[in-house]
Amino acid sequence: MNKKSGHLPRIWLAGGHFVNDIYTGFLNPIMPFIAAKIGISMAVATVVLSMSHIFSSLLQPIFGFFADNMLKRAFIFWGLLFTSCFIPFAPASQTLPVMIVFIILGSLGSSLFHPQALGLANKYAGSDRVKYMGIFLGMGTLGYSVGPLLSAYVAQFWGLNKMPVLSVIGFIWACVMFRFVPKISNLKIVKPHYELKTAFKTILGNRKLNILNVISMLKSLISTSCFILLPFLWKSMGYSPFFIGAALFVFIFVGGIGSMLSNKFEKLVGTRNVFYFSMISTLPLMFLFVLTYKVFPAFSFAVYFVMGFVTMLAVPVTMNMAQSIIPEYKSIIGGFINGFSWGIVALIMSLNGYVAQKFGITNVLLGVSIIPALFSVFVKYLFDERLS
């Protein structure tokens, strides 16, 4: 594949990742206000948000298997259509069961989109794979940051019932990708033939991949905890929906910048140190945030934004290292690192909502920030050539 032929597909795929992830970030800043509207507690609302992560994440390795074994682009189109058409209807729902149905269907769309998009992005990446994967993942992160800002703006100034109008963005981009992303059958690639059981056994039996999966889980534990719990803390302090959405926007936006700059940091300080810095630094930052969010709110928001940057700094490095270990399973591995790990964290978060309601949000945030720092000792094994 020459550089010119892969340039446009890279743009449309990265743009598709941006648009899809706009919708995955929709619900977090406005969930406290949706909860008040339909009369549910923070604990129940946290479970509902966790469900959206579970259905958008846990099934990604399965969909990745089918994506690797098919010569069609169907998952990136139907995935984006489902995400964009169902998620915006959830805030407009009048009852909890209806909202849950919309969330599940929209989240499944995201689960369809990501593994195949990651696999295609890897195929089109060219020689500088780390750089493009950083851009591709960074675009998804930036989309995830725009989602809260967009949904919070509509919620505050138009009302929750107007949210479905935003479905048009994803519909248009899905049509654009259908036109400009080449058919997989035109790539002249060899279709892989392997059984799902064999692929999972190989992946889960690789110790380096297991460490990378754990690292991915721990990083998503930090970002998901902040994204789900902090809107409830800020609402209790009297902040408006748009202000909360703006705060989440900046947190994820600077995280996207961190993803895009990951390649430069890796060249500057080395892969090992990127992992260490990203995993350990969130603990002192979270401690600073908890100490200052009441007495020095402006400073606490600045600390929170820095936390977003360092949390996402190691994401492209993690993905590239994982896909290079067993390259024939790119989509499935992408599903594990970018999806399954988030789904496991979502299961944990469904319990964290009840714990936070009982013991306090800031205590839970401090607790989860300790875990990545402790597990950073396993980073050294990623560079042990005897480990496989």
Side-chain angles (χ1 to χ4, degrees):
M1 182 190 306
N2 60 52
K3 186 175 181 179
K4 185 177 179 180
S5 65
H7 183 63
L8 282 177
R10 288 200 294 267
I11 292 175
W12 299 119
L13 283 168
H17 197 195
F18 174 83
V19 173
N20 181 84
D21 284 15
I22 286 177
Y23 297 100
T24 61
F26 254 36
L27 299 177
N28 297 83
I30 59 175
M31 183 53 77
F33 304 92
I34 298 173
K37 169 189 167 185
I38 62 177
I40 58 175
S41 67
M42 181 184 76
V44 174
T46 302
V47 172
V48 173
L49 282 175
S50 298
M51 288 176 61
S52 70
H53 290 287
I54 290 168
F55 282 95
S56 67
S57 304
L58 276 180
L59 295 177
Q60 283 196 31
I62 305 293
F63 292 139
F65 166 78
F66 290 110
D68 275 342
N69 281 274
M70 64 189 295
L71 295 180
K72 295 183 182 297
R73 309 161 296 167
F75 285 3
I76 60 172
F77 304 124
W78 286 107
L80 181 53
L81 286 173
F82 265 60
T83 305
S84 60
C85 288
F86 289 114
I87 291 292
F89 280 84
S93 304
Q94 299 301 315
T95 63
L96 180 61
V98 173
M99 181 175 68
I100 289 174
V101 169
F102 282 132
I103 287 174
I104 289 175
L105 291 174
S107 300
L108 284 173
S110 186
S111 195
L112 274 173
F113 174 86
H114 277 103
Q116 188 170 64
L118 280 162
L120 288 173
N122 190 286
K123 290 182 175 72
Y124 282 112
S127 57
D128 201 347
R129 184 166 280 108
V130 175
K131 179 180 178 181
Y132 176 66
M133 288 305 292
I135 294 172
F136 178 82
L137 293 169
M139 287 296 288
T141 304
L142 293 178
Y144 193 52
S145 73
V146 169
L149 191 66
L150 193 57
S151 65
Y153 178 87
V154 174
Q156 182 164 332
F157 298 107
W158 295 4
L160 292 171
N161 292 334
K162 299 295 184 182
M163 208 72 69
V165 73
L166 297 174
S167 292
V168 68
I169 302 171
F171 179 82
I172 291 173
W173 200 271
C175 294
V176 169
M177 284 200 303
F178 186 81
R179 171 66 178 84
F180 290 105
V181 176
K183 294 180 180 179
I184 296 177
S185 56
N186 293 341
L187 294 180
K188 297 180 181 180
I189 59 174
V190 178
K191 180 180 177 181
H193 293 280
Y194 51 78
E195 295 181 355
L196 183 62
K197 180 180 178 181
T198 302
F200 271 56
K201 185 177 179 180
T202 302
I203 292 170
L204 294 175
N206 188 288
R207 284 175 285 182
K208 285 188 178 181
L209 280 177
N210 288 335
I211 293 172
L212 289 168
N213 269 316
V214 170
I215 290 173
S216 183
M217 289 177 195
L218 296 177
K219 302 306 293 178
S220 64
L221 179 62
I222 297 293
S223 56
T224 304
S225 298
C226 290
F227 231 52
I228 290 180
L229 295 178
L230 281 179
F232 287 93
L233 177 69
W234 288 327
K235 180 179 183 294
S236 70
M237 297 173 67
Y239 291 111
S240 68
F242 185 69
F243 187 92
I244 295 172
L248 297 185
F249 161 75
V250 178
F251 176 83
I252 301 298
F253 181 84
V254 296
I257 300 300
S259 290
M260 290 184 174
L261 295 178
S262 177
N263 182 47
K264 294 185 181 299
F265 272 85
E266 186 181 16
K267 290 178 179 177
L268 185 65
V269 302
T271 305
R272 187 194 308 260
N273 290 326
V274 171
F275 279 119
Y276 281 130
F277 177 70
S278 183
M279 296 181 73
I280 295 172
S281 60
T282 50
L283 176 56
L285 288 170
M286 187 69 79
F287 187 71
L288 266 179
F289 173 83
V290 171
L291 283 179
T292 59
Y293 79 97
K294 286 184 179 178
V295 290
F296 301 110
F299 179 77
S300 75
F301 279 108
V303 171
Y304 172 67
F305 301 148
V306 174
M307 201 183 328
F309 180 87
V310 300
T311 299
M312 300 299 294
L313 189 62
V315 170
V317 178
T318 305
M319 178 65 72
N320 185 65
M321 182 178 287
Q323 288 186 322
S324 65
I325 291 173
I326 314 178
E328 62 267 30
Y329 298 145
K330 287 184 177 69
S331 293
I332 298 184
I333 290 173
F336 269 101
I337 298 296
N338 196 58
F340 185 79
S341 60
W342 285 79
I344 295 298
V345 169
L347 290 173
I348 298 170
M349 285 305 303
S350 64
L351 299 175
N352 268 359
Y354 287 92
V355 176
Q357 188 166 286
K358 185 174 178 62
F359 296 103
I361 292 172
T362 54
N363 290 329
V364 170
L365 291 175
L366 278 174
V368 300
S369 65
I370 294 171
I371 303 172
L374 293 177
F375 274 81
S376 64
V377 298
F378 291 100
V379 169
K380 63 182 179 181
Y381 296 110
L382 292 174
F383 304 91
D384 188 343
E385 295 302 324
R386 297 168 298 176
L387 193 67
S388 63

